Amino acid sequence: KQEVTQIPAALSVPEGENLVLNCSFTDSAIYNLQWFRQDPGKGLTSLLLIQSSQREQTSGRLNASLDKSSGRSTLYIAASQPGDSATYLCARGGAAGNKLTFGGGTRVLVKP
Amino acid sequence: ETGVTQTPRHLVMGMTNKKSLKCEQHLGHNAMYWYKQSAKKPLELMFVYSLEERVENNSVPSRFSPECPNSSHLFLHLHTLQPEDSALYLCASSQESGGGAAPYEQYFGPGTRLTVT
């Protein structure tokens, strides 16, 4: 069974600290790895997508890495702000690319 | 605003009711998806439509019936639901291949919060 795990389930940091969010998956035959943000009661906002041929993607303060051999992806958020408080979800795209398997998410609280 | 809209945003229905959820995408994509998000469970893929054909039915009970009349619209018809079907139902779209966007990057709507009483 394809599984995606995110640990920890919740994280609290003071403003300004860098955030490191982890995602692990059991099947290395992935097509892509996508990171999303979800605010309470809302839909998902796509943050970064890493194709299987790539090692990382960057957008502003966000950087996501992908290591297929170890089955891991990491999302780094530099200089966290209270507005970064949300749940962050990673999702693995399978061989067909369009079927995403989601992790349980990491709920982040950035304290002012 | 992601370019994917869902209506209604909130729905309360009894177990004997019939209702429909609607999703519309304005991104020119050719694939659409239904997901279910229950409390304390990961997002679950329910259905995938590619070029208006259903290509995935992820062991979803028949009380959920999807319909994709064209590449911009997706419906989820609901009937005789159970209280455990209460959840946030999310719609997403993507471009299957080619186009300007990253292939298979999925864009989500805001969801419909469904409560079954």
Side-chain angles (χ1 to χ4, degrees):
Chain A
K1 182 181 175 183
Q2 303 163 2
E3 289 191 351
V4 180
T5 305
Q6 292 184 250
I7 295 174
L11 186 60
S12 179
V13 298
E15 182 177 2
E17 192 165 299
N18 296 332
L19 281 164
V20 181
L21 305 178
N22 299 305
C23 173
S24 60
F25 45 91
T26 54
D27 186 351
S28 62
I30 71 170
Y31 188 88
N32 57 38
L33 194 295
Q34 198 165 353
W35 282 94
F36 296 89
R37 168 187 172 137
Q38 185 175 30
D39 293 289
K42 302 286 181 64
L44 277 63
T45 301
S46 178
L47 298 174
L48 290 167
L49 180 146
I50 313 173
Q51 301 295 346
S52 62
S53 58
Q54 298 174 319
R55 296 295 298 268
E56 67 176 350
Q57 280 285 349
T58 298
S59 176
R61 293 185 294 114
L62 276 59
N63 174 276
S65 65
L66 175 63
D67 185 342
K68 288 193 300 180
S69 61
S70 64
R72 289 192 203 169
S73 178
T74 303
L75 178 66
Y76 300 88
I77 303 178
S80 62
Q81 304 168 357
D84 295 328
S85 298
T87 296
Y88 291 83
L89 297 150
C90 71
R92 170 195 170 282
N98 58 2
K99 298 182 182 63
L100 294 180
T101 302
F102 279 83
T106 296
R107 191 171 65 254
V108 171
L109 175 63
V110 180
K111 298 179 182 177
Chain B
E1 183 61 47
T2 63
V4 182
T5 59
Q6 291 186 244
T7 54
R9 296 294 306 277
H10 300 272
L11 178 62
V12 179
M13 60 186 287
M15 290 191 284
T16 58
N17 291 159
K18 288 184 181 181
K19 296 286 184 183
S20 296
L21 309 185
K22 179 183 176 182
C23 176
E24 184 173 359
Q25 59 95 2
H26 310 274
L27 301 169
H29 290 162
N30 57 15
M32 297 187 77
Y33 312 79
W34 281 117
Y35 289 88
K36 175 182 179 182
Q37 189 175 36
S38 306
K40 306 195 182 203
K41 288 178 70 175
L43 260 160
E44 300 171 84
L45 178 65
M46 299 175 73
F47 301 104
V48 179
Y49 275 83
S50 174
L51 300 172
E52 300 158 38
E53 283 194 29
R54 192 190 313 179
V55 296
E56 179 81 9
N57 177 344
N58 216 19
S59 303
V60 179
S62 59
R63 57 186 184 268
F64 295 90
S65 174
E67 179 190 1
C68 186
N70 54 62
S71 59
S72 300
H73 294 86
L74 185 65
F75 294 90
L76 188 62
H77 304 299
L78 316 170
H79 65 97
T80 59
L81 294 191
Q82 305 297 312
E84 60 264 29
D85 297 321
S86 298
L88 181 67
Y89 288 85
L90 292 162
C91 172
S93 71
S94 71
Q95 186 65 22
E96 282 288 277
S97 63
Y104 303 128
E105 183 170 11
Q106 293 191 18
Y107 294 81
F108 281 75
T112 294
R113 173 68 62 186
L114 173 67
T115 303
V116 181
T117 60

